[in-house]
Amino acid sequence: MTSHQAVKSFKKSSVPGVIITQFVDDIPNGCSTPDFERKPVTLTLQEGKNAIFRAVVKGVPTPEVKWTRMQGGMDDPAKYETFFNNVTNEFILQINKLTTDDSDLYRCFAVNEYGEAACSKNKTSCCLSKCLDFFSLPLVLRAPAPKPKPLDKEAVWQLLLHADRRDYEKICMKYGIVDFRGMLRKLQEMRKDTESEQGELLHSIRNFEHIKVNKDGKATFSLVMDLKNHNSKVYLLKDGERLRYGTGDEYRKHCLRRIGKRYSFIVNDVQPEDAGVYQVRVEDIPVFSTELDAESIPVRFQQPLSDVRCPEEEDAVFDCILRTPCYDAVWLHKTHLLEGSEKHQISVTPDGLTHQLIIRNVVPSDNGMYTLDTGLCSSNAWLIHLFNTFFSECSAPRCYVNKQLLDVRVLKGEPAELSCTVSKHEVAGTWFKDGLKLTNMDGVLFEKEGLVHKLIINKVEDIHAGKYRFEGGDIKTEASIFVDKVLLKNLTSVPTVAKAGQKVKIKIPFEGRLPIRATWLKDRMELVDDARIRVDKTETFTMLSISSSERKDCGDYQVRLKNDSGVLEINLKLMVIDKPQPPAGPIKIVESSANNITIQWKPPKDDGGKPVQRYIVERQQVGKNDWVTLGETPRSCTTFTANKVEQDRSYYFRVRAVNAEGTSDALESDEVKAAGKASPGAPDPPEIVSASRDTITICWKAPRKTGSSRIVGYIVQKRKKGTMTWLPVNNVPILKMTNLKKGLQYEFRVAAVNAAGIGDASEPSQPVFARDSMKSPGRVQDLKVSSSDSTSVTLTWKRPEAKDGSDVKGYEVEMRSSKSLNWTKCNNLPIEMTTYTVKGLQAKEIYFLRVRALNDSGPGEAAELEACIEAAPPVVSPRLLIDDTVKSFLVIKAGNTIRVNIPFEASPDPVVTWLKDGLPLSNRAKINTKDGTTQLLIAAAEFADSGTYTVELQNGLGRRETFNIPQSPGPIQLEENVPNTVTVTWEPSPSEKWESNLYYTVLKRESQKGLWHVVGDLIYTNKFTFTKLIPGRDYYFRVVAKNSLGASDPSETVQPWSIRKPKAEFQVKPQKYRGVNQNQPPRFLVPLKPHVVTTGSECHMSCAVGGHPPPKITWYKDSRDLSNDPTYFCTNDFGVCSLVVLGVTKHDEGEYMVEATNESGRAFSKAFLTIKGISL
């Protein structure tokens, strides 16, 4: 430590525990004494580990930092290492491989020519014997913490797959993944496979919430997933091992709470051993992974700190027991950090569970709150200093109060208790109330239990309120009992019914301890004052006033009274009665004829609080002003027939509702015309009931339109099939036609008749023969199941024998399941063939099937059998099984056979489509698909068969899979948009039209025969800018289109690209000193341009800037300076400024600005970066 002759003064640092010594009287402007921005912290570590102290200092000039220790030297460079971190500006002392001899007080000094700053830290290892004296325990070294179980690579990739992108870097560093771009590519591939696997079991999965631990030691994480099969099993794993969890209300270490589609997993009573990677699986498919970090588990308290009362000049002891070990907890007095010293003795047991603070020789300044801070949690308690009072030098040893009386606030009628604790057993003590000595009285008891004295009141009344005092010897303590009154519930009469327009006042009186807050609510909404409604409140009542009540004021009201004693709620109901609303419209015209009009309406929506008694109906003829009352109807009747109308005249009708409070406004109809006479409409075609050789029975339904009057009869007509003449029969609703000629076919039609005449005739009936019915056909023969699958059954049978009816017109098939007794027809029309396929059946179900033969006399006897449906095969999305045996490029000689086999898997069987260059194949190509393989066969190849062939699979699941290698991109163009850069653009590959996962790779070489090097990959646009050009060199570029199956042929540049190397020209001219100012403000030669990139790719933003002197370049994103952000890479090559964003995420989207400044001015350019997701 450097010594100085003239120590002038001491200064106070803003950091507690730091002492600043100033060496000089006056410090020059711009200079300062050293100080600590962050001082070292106390460490408690295991034996064998390394201790690292960190300090951040400030001062001008920059101070020199030195480290010392109280006992022993620090000369061993292998033991003590000191260095400076340029990134964090930290001075670091590292002590390697700790032993018990390293427990000491270490000091840190910061010195410059104007002063010195010093602080010290006590680093104590767990085996320091002087910290364990008060526990009387032997010296025990804590066993090293168990090493975490190594995590397999698959679990790490699953963790990355579900992690937030901003956590990628932390996870990669933790598990040793160094290829960041390779990691992004692998995650992209894994997402495709994962979605395919999860699609077999899940409809959807979303809303992942990673694991979090609350202060009560409960960890939760959740997700929302929609299972296709609710019987699918959901498993929970930790570090690859399956955990058992509970789903009910019982307490378990691991629990699952399911609400709808949300699955919430809970880990109770989290301990350090619970740290690890948790994974949720559905069957064998992982769907979510999250990690519980040991550092996020809060330390929990088994026995928190409790208040301590300590007499002056004695020692106060605070003890705290933790449920989980903690070795770096710190003690605080109020907000000041405590360090181990003779005044404050800090110790912790070897297991890290019990922490103790001893405060020696307590003085009044030691009063206050003490806190044990473990980092995420803390516990605090008060130290209360007790003053000593001596009556005489010869008095007995002093007695004091360990626990004072405390004020009590209690509701009237409830019990109350006052208690205090003294330091001596022989203290008898006396109780006083408001200065008067108390004796035994009803309801008040005095108890003494050891050192504790109690006053107990069984039922508090108003007389018990007051100040109580306990005296015993030379001690005294006081407290008060406050009695709170219960709010009164007996209310004055409250109006519950009022007429509309009247003034309403509802007054609620109350009593209680002030202040009392009164709130009025209507239909659970708080009432506020307006032009009609006002709420008043005094100390004894609250009142609701409504100046002019309306129907909308009806409803449920609630008055909520609240003070410190509690809350009282009073429910009220207000009814406002009024005349009814108009009847509900519109008025419907039920019937309109030449003689009468029938109208209909609906009851009013609001009857005014009183039931409707009757309706009044009025009429007005169009062109006149007078309304004529037609009559009244009772409340139950909402129709009325006006019979005093004239034909072809128009009228208006209106209806009013009447209740005990008055008559409503009128509901008025539109113009209604009394129609002239109208004939009925046509009935439906008649139906044939039965037929014989001399009689046919028919029936029909009445027409929908009856005309202007009721139907009085029907005209029935018949004709022979093929003729045009209709002959009348008679006019009864159900007829038996006789006088028919045997063997002829007849048709029938019907017309309705009313007062206006005969209406329209119906359509003809179905033709029917006048002959006796035939014999029903016999039973079909040899009914059996010819084939079946999981959804259908194919039946075959033979015709009935000839003697059982030869004139068979067809067959009908019926079915029923084993769970039903009802038969269902499978065909609407008769089946002419002797085979039929029943579809739409359920797998693993038993069905009964029967077949009947049909002829003109009806169905015959049924033949029946039982069929069991096979189990449905597992559903498999279409997927091409592409491996090394499937070639993506074939060369075939003309005339040879082209044979290409593509294996696949899918269930149900997919539709396989082959295309050539995006078009259907020619007739010479034969496609054969069988047993999971599709084959393309061309017997004799021709030159026209060259091209790109595509295989497309699609099944009923709507999933589609294609096999296609992309075609080459189009011609390449090179441009120098920014000096010393080249922009490569190309025509898109034709495969972009049908390939959703196609991307491009750009390669370059620096000579005509050099090696190709990839300069850009995963490019989803048709443009790429290459910036690392060297003037004078020739460059060749090529572009390749790629997808998951391979790469296309390259598209290359023919001519080389080069940037001329500028030649320096020297001219010697005589110097002319004209004093010209060559300074120029900054200007943008090439401004920033907007960019659109995909997630995970790189983004290069560049511009060109001019100005003299060369301007300073600063990049901003959304007004945030990016200079010190390591995730962005900024360059400035002679005015060409570039910003590179590696592995862009959605958080990188926003407005970017580059600012150029010099002494002559300032300029800036802005552009927007848009991020789009990767389409799968």
Side-chain angles (χ1 to χ4, degrees), residues 3 38 92 120 126 140 186 204 286 322 341 430 433 490 515 527 618 621 660 723 733 791 842 871 984 1124 1172:
S3 63
R38 187 171 75 245
I92 299 175
S120 62
C126 63
V140 179
K186 182 167 182 178
S204 64
L322 309 181
S341 62
T430 306
K433 178 182 180 294
N490 51 330
L527 290 177
E618 298 174 296
Q621 185 175 329
T723 64
T791 60
Q842 295 184 2
V984 185
N1124 297 324
K1172 68 176 183 179

Side-chain angles (χ1 to χ4, degrees), residues 147-153 155-156 175 238-241 277:
K147 295 183 178 180
K149 183 179 179 180
L151 207 60
D152 62 276
K153 293 183 178 179
V156 175
Y175 294 104
K238 174 182 175 290
D239 296 333
E241 297 182 1
V277 175

Side-chain angles (χ1 to χ4, degrees), residues 410-412 462 482-488 511-513 516 563 565-566:
V410 63
L411 289 176
K412 184 177 179 180
D462 292 336
F482 300 95
V483 179
D484 293 337
K485 298 179 181 178
V486 179
L487 295 171
L488 297 181
E511 292 182 6
R513 188 168 58 85
I516 298 176
N563 67 359
S565 302

Side-chain angles (χ1 to χ4, degrees), residues 29 72 377 425 485 533 557 652 747 830-831 843 920 945 1023:
N29 292 334
C377 297
H425 289 276
K485 298 179 181 178
I533 300 176
Y557 288 78
Y652 294 107
E747 294 175 330
I831 305 169
D945 296 325
K1023 184 177 181 180

Side-chain angles (χ1 to χ4, degrees), residues 670-742:
D670 296 331
E671 182 178 335
V672 182
K673 186 175 183 180
K677 295 183 178 180
S679 58
D684 291 338
E687 297 181 0
I688 308 300
V689 177
S690 63
S692 64
R693 60 184 175 182
D694 55 4
T695 301
I696 296 177
T697 303
I698 65 171
C699 68
W700 62 89
K701 294 181 180 179
R704 297 179 181 85
K705 295 182 180 180
T706 61
S708 59
S709 61
R710 66 183 185 85
I711 296 174
V712 297
Y714 295 91
I715 298 297
V716 181
Q717 298 173 321
K718 69 176 181 179
R719 74 176 179 186
K720 297 177 183 178
K721 184 179 179 182
T723 64
M724 302 298 294
T725 303
W726 289 94
L727 301 176
V729 181
N730 56 1
N731 57 353
V732 292
I734 298 180
L735 298 177
K736 290 184 179 180
M737 264 65 66
T738 57
N739 300 325
L740 303 174
K741 293 185 177 181
K742 181 180 178 181

Side-chain angles (χ1 to χ4, degrees), residues 11 53 157 221 226 249 381 414 451 464 482 552 590 697 747 781 895 931 1005 1026 1041 1131:
K11 293 176 61 178
F53 292 106
W157 285 110
F221 59 97
D226 186 4
D249 296 331
E414 294 186 356
L451 301 177
H464 294 134
F482 300 95
K552 65 181 181 181
V590 179
T697 303
E747 294 175 330
Q781 302 183 65
D931 297 334
R1005 66 181 180 185
F1026 181 61
T1131 61

